[in-house]
Amino acid sequence: MVLHQTQLLNGEQASIKAAQAFSQHIYTYKPFKTIASSTDNNIWGQPPTQPTYIEHHDLIARLHHHTSALISSDSLIPAIPHLYRLVSNQTSTVLHVSAQHSHSSFADFSQVMAVRQTGWTFLSSSSVQEAHDLAVIAHVVAIKTHTPVLHFFDSRRLAHEHSLVQLVSHETLAQLVTPEELETMPDFKQQQQSPYLQYKQQQQERVDVTGVVREIMDQFAKLTGRQYASLHYTGHPEAERVLVAMGAGATVAEKTIKAIKKDDKVGVLKVRLYRPWSNVDLLNILPTTVQRLAVLEASHDLTSTWHPLFLDVVAAFQTTTVLDNVEIVSGQYGVDASDFAPAQVRTVLDKLSKAQVEGRFEVSQLKTDNQDGVVPEDTEQWIVVGDEAWALACAERAVESGKQAQVYTVDGCSHVRVGSDVSLPSLVVQAQAVVFRRLDVDAHRAIDVLAPHGLVVLPLNSLEGAPLTSATKRAIGARQVKVVSLPSANNLSALSGLKDVLANTTTELTVPHDWEHVEQPLLPITAQPPAPENTRVPVETPYLKMLGQVFQDRLEIANAVQSDSVWSPDRSPEFGYGKLVNRIQQRARLIDTVETYLKDTHNVSDELYKALSQWLMALQSDKPDTINKAAKVVSTTSNNGLVVTHNNLLFAKSNWLIGSDRWAYDLGQSGVHHVITQGENVNMLLIDTTPYTSVTEREQRKKDIGLYAMNFGSVYVASVALYASYTGVLHALLEADAYPGPSIVLAYLPQPSDETPLADPVFTLKETKIAVDQGTWPLYRWNPALEAKGQEPFTLDSQRIKKDLEKFLERENHFSQLVADHPDVSQLLVSSLEKNVENRHAELKRKARQDYAKLLSGMGASNGPPLLVLFGSDNGNAEGVAKRVAKRGQNQGLQVKLMAMDDYEDLRTLGGETNVAIVCSTAGQGELPSNGREFWKALNALVIGDVDLSQLSYAVFGMGDSHYWPRQEDAVFYNRPGKWIDAKLEALGATRLTDLGLGDDQDADGFETGLTTWQAEFWKSLGVKEVGEEEPKITDDQMKIDSNYLRGTIAEDLRDETTGAISETNGKLLKFHGSYGQDDRDLREERKKMGLEKAYSFMIRVRMPGGVATPKQWLMMDELADTYANGAIKLTTRQAFQLHGILKRNLRSTIRGINHGLLSTLAACGDVNRNIMITPITEIPEVHDQVQQFGNTIMTLLAPTTHAYHEIWLADEQVAGNAVQDFEPIYGPTYLPRKFKIVIAVPPNNDVDIFAHDLGYIAIIEGTQVVGYNVTIGGGMGMTHGNKKTYPRPANLVGYIPAEFGAVCAEAVLTTQRDYGDRTNRKHARFKYTIDTHGLDFIKREIESRMGRVFEPARPYKFSDNADRYGWTKGDGDLWHYCMFIENGKVKDWPDFRPKSGLRELAQWHRGEFRLSPNQHLIIANVPEADLERTKALLAKYKMDNLSFTGLRLNAMACVALPTCGLAMAESERYLPTLVSLLEDAIEAAGLRENAITIRMTGCPNGCARPYLAEIAFVGKAPQTYNVYLGGGHHGERLNKLYKESLREDEILREIKPIIQRYALERHADEPFGDFVIRAGYVNKTVTGTDFHENLML
């Protein structure tokens, strides 16, 4: 006998180990880590195959000879046709099936049983060792019999149980299969190709699979010493009570039977070979003395009274008269139960001994105790809470010491056994200890199964304030168990058993007396428990939540019983449709019955007669609410038998079938077709998850259900996308429900296609926007009911449609009607993408001809050499340099062409150019900018010979930052795109005009230093001797002067309909008017590929001191958001409203609407004083009005006075040019060097972050009056990565002034900055740099001089934090305020949270005001006492009263960043919630749920969310990459410090989670996180802005 290797494996790994020896390919239903040895070959002498993950619905279709698969039983039912095919082809395929039901189920063979008649051989394993051995036997049987084999085992109990497995050696495998069998195996299929040969083969004698299995099992026993049988009996030879089972449950029964006294006449029959089924073998192996037989099965079949194995056993007994007095009963275990224990086996046996036994029962419903009695006494049994990896490490050590080990994890608790025999596949019920590795896991069930004198082991030194769950505390207190302390050292994984663990415990801990009576807190309805790691959340959940919210009790979803997702196999339309049609027919019969019943008035009471009559009348209205009101009256009026029996049919339901995009295949034969053609009032919601980028899935395989249904003419059809338009989805659902016939709502929710769909909001949002923008997923509604009323049935909710849909509309004459009904929408916009592109290209060609003609007319004397200037630029700097080069070339007579690199369409024509200059910036980690990537891909793909560049001369100027990636190994990223292009052109044979130029942001003059040197050599190489002086660059100050007080040519640009953008200069001026030009960066790449310009839009910001708005103003913003913007209201970090996604043609209408609401956008942005922030809720209520009035006074004083704003946006006639001359008494024609920010803080709350701003006022209060202000100056957040000359700076406290001098002080500070600020370098132009350049004392004296008085010494004050005051707060008099949580300030409706709808409803009757908080949340202010309960009810209705979040989430803040901010380098607003969720695992585990830790994120270093004051900050460095800063002051008084650079998500979690855990254990009393990380040595303390970049500990 050959010695075999042993290894600690789970059932899935054990089966794959065997499969690797017999397969050329293994497909798996989930990703698997490499588990093969690189030194072994398979039986064909080839390297071992590794598991290949394939989506489960495609997996079985790929199987053939030499392949096997590990699959979930979920894949079996939809694969039935493939299973029959594989049998028919007589393949040697093996399926290893993990039979599952739910994540905690012991076993569920239901879906395996459903395919038992397909002709496959079925083998069942009942232990982890068997999972390996029977996997080997399965492959040998398949090879020898040319019959596919399905080897199955319990998904959770065996698939995930780790146990010591003795592996079968290759020497043994070689003896099980002959070389001849291996040689004929690949060719066997080819021998069966023709129909005649197939017929001949069928006539041949069938293979005796049962006999072959028996022979192989016997041979396997001789080689390994492990004997298996198709059916195996254990127990008394004259047993009277016998159990029949298979799977892990059979092993539990077997172990229990062995432990029972030998004179008990009981036994168990274990089924290993389930198909082919042998009645003879079953009857021969059972004792003839058996009187009662209990067939125990882990399966559940809704369509049958009896279970499959029971039916097989009963059928076998029908073939004999020898055992005709045997009583056979059916028992179910597993399925919904998490365990099957020896105590339950004893209970079943006791049940069989009683006089009467019911024929069918569920084991889980039987009363049992927790006694074990099966596990040997030398076995250590213990439970590890919250750390399976640690439990497995201990088990590995035990195995190395010569013991056996078993680890099985369920619900976060790992059940560990170590000893001589640990093969019982059941949970530990007499644990000697419960060892906690995580404290937030609910382990009360583990405490309940502690043996007498068992221990609880905790990594704590005291139980006071221990962050255990309430249920765990109560269990410890009730059991009065002993609790001991275990140090939290990381080397405990080296321990090999429980004795070693307990040897490391220190002292016994005292359990608080009140733990026994701790009550389990009731969680709010809206609080969702965290999903287990790797748990797949059903992707359709958002749409299902919307259905539930819209239809509530009326909702009837008919299909997918017991399914987790619409991608589950039993989500067929046929099943659900049949169910709904049956209900419709039953209801129709009920109506007939009621009508007949009412004709016989003698048997009907007057009350019931009236109620039923009203119900019949209500049915005529087709209004569900009316019908259900009448139905409720009927159901409460009488207990009449007819009413009681059919009560559910009285009510109107909203009938829905929920399906996936898989229903889009073979429409003519699908259930979708039947629903459409039958005309019943059934609604279908079909969710399509195919990403826009998946061209094959999108175009080649699926049919357009919407177009298919619309052609029938009588079907309501809607195409919607939740991430594009929430209201559009809402309208569609309501209209579909109201339509009296079949309805189809096509819902888009794209997901990553590499795995079963998982929730990924950012991916889904991007893909949705691209698909809607390009017209591949148009948003529309088709309502035939409108056509019957003479109205247009087609409504387009997006701007583009697909070409085939356009053809349909044109054929039906709806397209022209659509344009006629919407004259403001051009046909170009609503037409198909294909037509749009054609028109766009024609327009580009026309413009190119005009530009060329203009070039010829203006450059008649241009006889110099040709020059092609290409640029790659993300932020505009490289484009600016390229334009300067092109301009100088034109001035010197060169024939110049200028374009972006990607606009150079065909690189094969590059050889025809003479000279080319390329200016390229660096993006991300040494990547090409977005408009240069396609050019580089094409260039890099060329090899010598593809194109002749011998006549091409070139020069390259690269732009980058040598310190942007400061690690030595990252130096390669510096200017890498320029270096790549330069080297590639040289390699292709082009001639270099001059050496590669490198512009470095670290140089004294930035990239200009390198550019000056490069240009001199470049022009010299072209033979241009007299280039003259370069035209001076127009400065921002000159631009302001030329603009005639901010007019510029904005009015003309607004009238230009050829582009959605405005000029660069007007874009800068537009900021002063409160708007930024932007484009949707999610759409850039796709629009560029299609030849479309960027998706330009505008952001509008509202100036509103203190963030105060009336209810009318809120309603106005709500309407504008829906009418002109993207449907959302953004609450900014500066207490202002912001609207995004406004098209240029709607810009003026939006700003006019804002002004009509008595708000303004003037000076919300630009080089002026911007919106003034004010503490929105003051501790002394009377103070708020005083500071609010002070803020209004300053805002009015410092507002620009130009008439340009009124002329451009508000006047009926727009004015341009120099028609009107203005005067700016404070700003002058050049305004300020940079933006200026003012805040007013009211202690003890520093929610405005007083030290982050240019000018700050700290209110000093005596009694209820503000008597004056402490003044701070020189704060600011912005900086540039890698540039130490830029830095954030905390403001300086310069003194105190009486309240009446506050406004004078503001003007003095602002004009000081106006006159002394740096106007030559915008990166050095903020007030903080002015102070550091001239000195604080000088600036202070200058302010005092202008103010006409000196600052008094600062008055005492104290800040407690910089967070918002959530919840209800008492205001002045009978008024109340409520601060609600709005994550990242985004007010929009989500499927499970609809604040926009709720606030709109509130604003219609609210008598107070709305206040925006400095941390992006919202305050419902000045609620009168009389409206308090009504307000609370509305908040609860829309879940806006939910504050059940962690302190981390409540104190998190992010800027907008991608996709609209042009400066963003990484995600922020869209990503921070996800990152917070990941960090919350560590927060909860450490018991810090309620602790406030300030966490902030920005997409770039400019600091809009004030990250450098946060205790934890993430600042975008590149896509998915962030710099991490730690140590900000909890009160907002101290800057943080750079901790780690350029971390991605997994690296962030690895770094931050241990710090959080250490903070929980080592913090001092009331010590904030920011203080702790400094004391613990993670970062050094930052004192001033100038030392922000110093003393780093990287």
Side-chain angles (χ1 to χ4, degrees), residues 558-719:
N559 60 326
V561 176
Q562 290 188 318
S563 290
D564 295 327
S565 169
V566 295
W567 279 263
S568 299
D570 54 353
R571 282 267 185 170
S572 67
E574 293 86 349
F575 171 80
Y577 179 65
K579 184 178 177 181
L580 291 179
V581 169
N582 179 61
R583 186 182 190 280
I584 292 171
Q585 293 172 347
Q586 285 184 334
R587 195 160 188 255
R589 288 194 292 268
L590 173 63
I591 294 172
D592 292 339
T593 302
V594 170
E595 290 176 342
T596 304
Y597 183 67
L598 292 180
K599 292 177 181 178
D600 185 4
T601 58
H602 297 291
N603 297 323
V604 186
S605 67
D606 292 343
E607 191 176 16
L608 179 59
Y609 183 90
K610 179 180 178 181
L612 287 173
S613 299
Q614 290 177 341
W615 179 70
L616 288 175
M617 293 177 61
L619 292 176
Q620 305 303 316
S621 70
D622 286 330
K623 295 180 178 178
D625 291 342
T626 303
I627 295 171
N628 289 345
K629 286 180 181 178
K632 188 173 183 180
V633 173
V634 174
S635 62
T636 57
T637 297
S638 172
N639 58 359
N640 180 281
L642 177 68
V643 173
V644 173
T645 304
H646 301 287
N647 182 68
N648 187 50
L649 295 176
L650 294 171
F651 293 87
K653 294 289 187 180
S654 184
N655 300 318
W656 288 88
L657 299 175
I658 313 298
S660 72
D661 45 353
R662 292 186 193 163
W663 291 10
Y665 304 106
D666 300 323
L667 279 176
Q669 302 179 24
S670 73
V672 175
H673 172 81
H674 297 303
V675 174
I676 291 173
T677 56
Q678 294 302 311
E680 297 289 355
N681 189 6
V682 174
N683 307 306
M684 285 193 292
L685 176 67
L686 305 184
I687 301 168
D688 193 326
T689 60
T690 305
Y692 168 83
T693 49
S694 180
V695 178
T696 301
E697 288 282 340
R698 189 178 70 247
E699 300 295 344
Q700 297 180 5
R701 297 176 58 187
K702 292 187 294 190
K703 311 299 188 298
D704 189 325
I705 297 181
L707 190 59
Y708 181 80
M710 288 166 64
N711 275 283
F712 282 84
S714 59
V715 183
Y716 175 90
V717 181
S719 177

Side-chain angles (χ1 to χ4, degrees), residues 955-1171:
V956 178
F957 183 71
M959 299 172 64
D961 186 335
S962 58
H963 289 180
Y964 196 82
W965 302 99
R967 294 184 301 186
Q968 185 174 358
E969 61 268 28
D970 294 337
V972 294
F973 299 144
Y974 170 60
N975 261 318
R976 186 162 66 174
K979 295 175 182 177
W980 277 349
I981 295 170
D982 180 76
K984 184 65 179 181
L985 289 172
E986 181 185 34
L988 291 174
T991 303
R992 188 183 282 111
L993 285 168
T994 185
D995 290 340
L996 170 67
L998 298 178
D1000 189 353
D1001 285 348
Q1002 294 297 319
D1003 289 340
D1005 200 18
F1007 63 80
E1008 295 286 353
T1009 304
L1011 179 62
T1012 301
T1013 303
W1014 178 82
Q1015 278 204 95
E1017 295 299 321
F1018 172 67
W1019 297 122
K1020 182 178 179 181
S1021 68
L1022 287 177
V1024 180
K1025 297 181 180 179
E1026 298 294 334
V1027 298
E1029 291 295 327
E1030 185 176 356
E1031 292 184 7
K1033 182 180 179 182
I1034 297 178
T1035 65
D1036 280 44
D1037 274 6
Q1038 187 62 48
M1039 174 203 70
K1040 298 172 197 174
I1041 294 172
D1042 294 344
S1043 74
N1044 186 21
Y1045 293 95
L1046 308 182
R1047 286 174 176 79
T1049 56
I1050 294 175
E1052 289 88 336
D1053 263 3
L1054 293 177
R1055 289 193 292 265
D1056 181 4
E1057 296 181 357
T1058 63
T1059 176
I1062 61 174
S1063 68
E1064 180 181 357
T1065 297
N1066 285 331
K1068 293 181 178 180
L1069 293 174
L1070 193 63
K1071 296 178 183 179
F1072 291 81
H1073 297 262
S1075 180
Y1076 276 77
Q1078 301 177 327
D1079 77 285
D1080 193 326
R1081 293 170 63 179
D1082 288 343
L1083 305 177
R1084 274 186 186 176
E1085 292 294 322
E1086 292 301 323
R1087 292 180 71 89
K1088 184 172 65 177
K1089 291 176 184 177
M1090 303 307 299
L1092 301 173
E1093 73 172 3
K1094 297 175 181 178
Y1096 290 114
S1097 65
F1098 293 82
M1099 175 273 285
I1100 291 179
R1101 185 180 299 154
V1102 179
R1103 186 190 70 194
M1104 43 193 302
V1108 175
T1110 66
K1112 287 186 178 179
Q1113 289 169 339
W1114 183 276
L1115 290 173
M1116 172 267 298
M1117 293 300 300
D1118 181 90
E1119 182 179 0
L1120 292 175
D1122 287 340
T1123 305
Y1124 299 122
N1126 60 7
I1129 302 173
K1130 173 70 175 180
L1131 313 182
T1132 75
T1133 58
R1134 293 198 55 78
Q1135 289 184 291
F1137 289 133
Q1138 210 161 266
L1139 299 179
H1140 288 264
I1142 301 166
L1143 299 180
K1144 186 172 74 171
R1145 65 173 181 265
N1146 296 325
L1147 196 56
R1148 190 166 184 258
S1149 299
T1150 309
I1151 293 179
R1152 292 186 79 169
I1154 291 171
N1155 280 268
H1156 288 166
L1158 303 182
L1159 292 174
S1160 176
T1161 65
L1162 178 62
C1165 319
D1167 297 342
V1168 289
N1169 172 55
R1170 298 189 176 185
N1171 196 45

Side-chain angles (χ1 to χ4, degrees), residues 226 313 340 360 375 388 606 1014 1128 1184 1395 1490 1492 1519 1552:
R226 296 191 291 277
V313 172
F340 181 53
R360 186 178 180 186
V375 177
E388 183 184 45
D606 292 343
W1014 178 82
H1184 182 266
E1490 307 301 326
I1552 301 299

Side-chain angles (χ1 to χ4, degrees), residues 382-409:
W382 42 305
I383 299 174
V384 177
V385 179
D387 195 344
E388 183 184 45
W390 189 79
L392 287 172
C394 292
E396 290 280 6
R397 303 292 85 75
V399 169
E400 291 173 1
S401 66
K403 302 176 184 178
Q404 290 192 11
Q406 177 195 68
V407 177
Y408 176 67
T409 303

Side-chain angles (χ1 to χ4, degrees), residues 1217-1239:
N1218 297 316
V1220 177
Q1221 289 294 326
D1222 273 313
F1223 174 67
E1224 287 283 6
I1226 291 181
Y1227 293 109
T1230 57
Y1231 294 86
L1232 297 180
R1234 283 296 299 273
K1235 57 190 173 185
F1236 196 84
K1237 298 179 179 180
I1238 301 176
V1239 297

